[in-house]
Amino acid sequence: MSTLSDLLAEHTKLSGGEVDHLQMVVAEWQLLSDLSFADLLMWVPIGEPPTPGSTDVEYLCVAQARATTAPTAHPEDVVGSTTTAADHPQLRRAMTEQRICREEDPRWHQGVPVRRETIPVTYDDRVIAVLSRETDIAVPRVPSSLEIAYLGIAADLCQMVADGSFPTSEPAADVHTSPRVGDGLVRLDNTGTVVFASPNAQSAYHRMGHPAELVGVRLAPLTRGLIADPFDATEIAQRILAALDGQPSMRAEAESHRGAAVLFRALPLRPDGKAAGALVLVRDVTEVRRRDRALMSKDATIREIHHRVKNNLQTVAALLRLQSRRTASEEARAALGESVRRVAAIAMVHEALSTSVDERVDLNSLVDKVIPVVGDVAVAENHVRVRRTGQFGVVAAEVATPLVMVLTELVQNAVEHAYPPGVSGDVTVSAERTARWLDVVVTDDGRGLPKGFSLERSNGLGLQIVRTLVESELRGSLSMKRRDRGGTEAVLRVPLSHRR
């Protein structure tokens, strides 16, 4: 489905500022939809705006919102559909008369009676779109105090949309989420006194430490006294007072003396430019923040474990080096040197995981550290160059350790056995990644595989380690063959999807 920007660019001549304003309306209109107990459809005229009396203008639906507080009037997607002024005359009236227009009689839509109301979207004193507020009236509603309060606030906000004063671009918020209508709603009069508080808002303030009813209380000083941090307390109170003065809404989070974390948002209510109090949305996020802290603590513990494992492996490698220097047997010294290399490779993986926040490793940077070390250690007397091409990308921790071990063994095998002493060459590690697979090819330009070579029957420790890791840990495949132009090619394929 096309996005709002795509539809506006293709079918209208709106300016960048006008498009940005419609984007802000869509970003905020879930609030309006929930308060209205109604669906919202955004319509724009195709081509030039209509003139008074015109009936041949087509309107395109460019966005749609469904209320979370009521049954939807449009279970089907309406975005991308068109209508005319003849079929929906309130659209033309709202645009040309620049006022909210209501249908006197409901219309039937898919067997459901729907009441429609059109709200002009004004920007710089010009109507650039129309919101159609469509309510399913088949379900009878009891006019409770909550519903009356919701509809009253919705009426003020709709008028502000028609005035062009809502929504406004607010400064960057300290938090990237916002309370919703169902989380908790408080309406203030012009003095900042609570005239209505939803049950969830009352519960949030109870948890913050206010045991009494909110109605009749001045909210700003009350909230200031409940918040633990004095700077946060002053900031939240000032934002509530700023909304009463008509300043743009802001979001903020604070913690009470009792440890309850609450998210606040204050919006000014100024229909027709006249002060009508403010709307304060609150959301109790205590449990969310408690889980966040637990996860952060768990992540920090896991990273600390990786750091300690890395340190322990480096200690093991140092001990093996000491033992190697004290060993007279060349064969034993070579075996200890290979063990040092393998332990060092695993230590590098744990070092990378100790700085990762999600147990994932950037293999590109890790391979670039590991592979040159392998080449240098393996054949100091040869001039063998090892390089990487392509992108490994980011992989999970359970893939990183066996994969790095396999790569180090394959490179080690190439630089040790592909070239006679004193002969230079090139070993290339090539990576190609798709959504499902990671394909790695290790090639050299050496003397190639011996006649009769079989990977399955090879009794070398390095290739035995490779086979075991590929089959049991990576669940991939590996093949080795002679290259047509000389040298050896090892092809590794590792599945990336459906990991355990």
Side-chain angles (χ1 to χ4, degrees):
M1 182 180 292
S2 299
T3 65
L4 173 61
S5 297
D6 294 336
L7 290 171
L8 294 175
E10 182 179 355
H11 298 283
T12 72
K13 297 180 181 179
L14 296 177
S15 66
E18 291 168 336
V19 171
D20 290 343
H21 185 72
L22 293 184
Q23 293 276 19
M24 286 195 298
V25 171
V26 170
E28 295 283 10
W29 71 349
Q30 189 63 55
L31 169 68
L32 187 56
S33 177
D34 290 344
L35 288 169
S36 302
F37 305 99
D39 291 2
L40 293 178
L41 307 177
M42 180 181 285
W43 298 91
V44 295
I46 298 176
E48 297 294 335
T51 57
S54 60
T55 58
D56 57 347
V57 177
E58 268 196 312
Y59 296 86
L60 174 71
C61 181
V62 293
Q64 177 179 8
R66 296 182 177 92
T68 62
T69 53
T72 179
H74 287 280
E76 79 286 1
D77 285 329
V78 186
V79 176
S81 63
T82 60
T83 189
T84 63
D87 294 330
H88 198 338
Q90 285 76 22
L91 293 177
R92 179 186 55 79
R93 288 180 56 200
M95 289 207 76
T96 57
E97 299 176 18
Q98 298 190 19
R99 66 179 182 89
I100 297 175
C101 300
R102 297 174 176 85
E103 283 184 331
E104 295 182 0
D105 298 317
R107 57 185 290 271
W108 289 85
H109 177 73
Q110 296 186 355
V112 175
V114 176
R115 187 177 298 281
R116 296 194 303 194
E117 180 179 10
T118 52
I119 304 143
V121 180
T122 303
Y123 176 78
D124 278 351
D125 297 323
R126 192 172 79 88
V127 178
I128 57 175
V130 177
L131 300 185
S132 181
R133 184 165 64 166
E134 313 209 352
T135 308
D136 178 359
I137 59 174
V139 180
R141 287 189 168 278
V142 178
S144 63
S145 59
L146 184 143
E147 181 167 345
I148 293 170
Y150 276 23
L151 292 175
I153 297 170
D156 288 345
L157 289 176
C158 286
Q159 186 57 55
M160 292 170 67
V161 171
D163 298 339
S165 59
F166 180 81
T168 56
S169 58
E170 57 186 273
D174 298 333
V175 292
H176 301 290
T177 185
S178 178
R180 302 181 70 168
V181 169
D183 295 326
L185 178 147
V186 179
R187 173 143 195 181
L188 309 179
D189 63 14
N190 290 336
T191 67
T193 302
V194 178
V195 293
F196 173 81
S198 70
N200 285 346
Q202 191 74 54
S203 296
Y205 270 84
H206 282 173
R207 191 162 190 179
M208 290 175 68
H210 178 67
E213 291 293 321
L214 284 174
V215 174
V217 176
R218 294 191 64 195
L219 193 67
L222 169 66
T223 306
R224 182 190 290 115
L226 295 175
I227 296 175
D229 187 289
F231 295 100
D232 288 344
T234 301
E235 182 70 15
I236 298 296
Q238 287 178 345
R239 293 183 181 190
I240 294 173
L241 296 174
L244 291 170
D245 292 336
Q247 297 180 21
S249 58
M250 292 285 288
R251 304 167 176 84
E253 185 177 323
E255 191 168 302
S256 73
H257 292 286
R258 292 191 174 185
V262 178
L263 190 61
F264 294 87
R265 187 185 182 194
L267 294 90
L269 296 176
R270 293 196 164 229
D272 293 318
K274 301 174 183 177
L279 165 65
V280 179
L281 299 174
V282 295
R283 179 186 176 191
D284 183 356
V285 293
T286 307
E287 297 305 322
V288 175
R289 295 297 171 257
R290 190 169 295 164
R291 288 195 296 269
D292 288 345
R293 285 192 289 267
L295 287 174
M296 289 176 63
S297 175
K298 178 182 176 182
D299 289 342
T301 301
I302 291 173
R303 290 197 297 273
E304 178 62 21
I305 290 172
H306 284 302
H307 180 71
R308 295 188 181 188
V309 170
K310 183 262 296 184
N311 289 343
N312 291 339
L313 289 173
Q314 288 178 337
T315 302
V316 171
L319 292 173
L320 291 173
R321 289 192 194 95
L322 287 174
Q323 186 65 50
S324 174
R325 295 191 189 108
R326 295 171 180 268
T327 301
S329 169
E330 288 296 330
E331 184 177 352
R333 191 175 298 169
L336 288 172
E338 289 186 0
S339 298
V340 168
R341 172 181 51 76
R342 290 170 182 138
V343 171
I346 299 174
M348 286 187 180
V349 176
H350 284 280
E351 183 178 21
L353 288 170
S354 69
T355 60
S356 171
V357 296
D358 58 357
E359 284 290 284
R360 293 170 68 81
V361 177
D362 180 5
L363 269 187
N364 294 324
S365 60
L366 185 57
V367 169
D368 288 344
K369 293 178 182 178
V370 173
I371 298 303
V373 174
V374 174
D376 293 342
V377 172
V379 282
E381 69 277 12
N382 285 17
H383 299 287
V384 178
R385 294 172 296 273
V386 183
R387 63 190 182 92
R388 172 183 66 87
T389 64
Q391 299 293 319
F392 284 89
V394 178
V395 299
E398 64 265 22
V399 177
T401 301
L403 183 55
V404 168
M405 286 291 295
V406 168
L407 290 177
T408 56
E409 293 297 336
L410 291 175
V411 173
Q412 169 87 7
N413 191 68
V415 296
E416 274 195 351
H417 302 294
Y419 306 98
V423 176
S424 62
D426 291 288
V427 175
T428 303
V429 181
S430 304
E432 182 178 353
R433 181 167 180 157
T434 65
R436 296 183 58 194
W437 303 98
L438 174 62
D439 292 311
V440 183
V441 181
V442 180
T443 58
D444 64 68
D445 54 359
R447 53 192 165 192
L449 294 171
K451 290 184 179 180
F453 172 82
S454 171
L455 179 62
E456 290 73 19
R457 292 195 294 270
S458 175
N459 57 5
L461 177 60
L463 290 181
Q464 287 181 1
I465 292 174
V466 167
R467 288 202 309 272
T468 301
L469 292 175
V470 169
E471 293 172 3
S472 62
E473 298 293 328
L474 298 175
R475 303 199 309 280
S477 62
L478 175 69
S479 63
M480 297 181 70
K481 63 179 181 179
R482 278 177 169 269
R483 298 174 66 201
D484 295 337
R485 292 170 290 176
T488 303
E489 180 179 85
V491 180
L492 171 67
R493 165 165 278 199
V494 179
L496 296 176
S497 58
H498 309 297
R499 303 298 305 181
R500 284 194 297 266

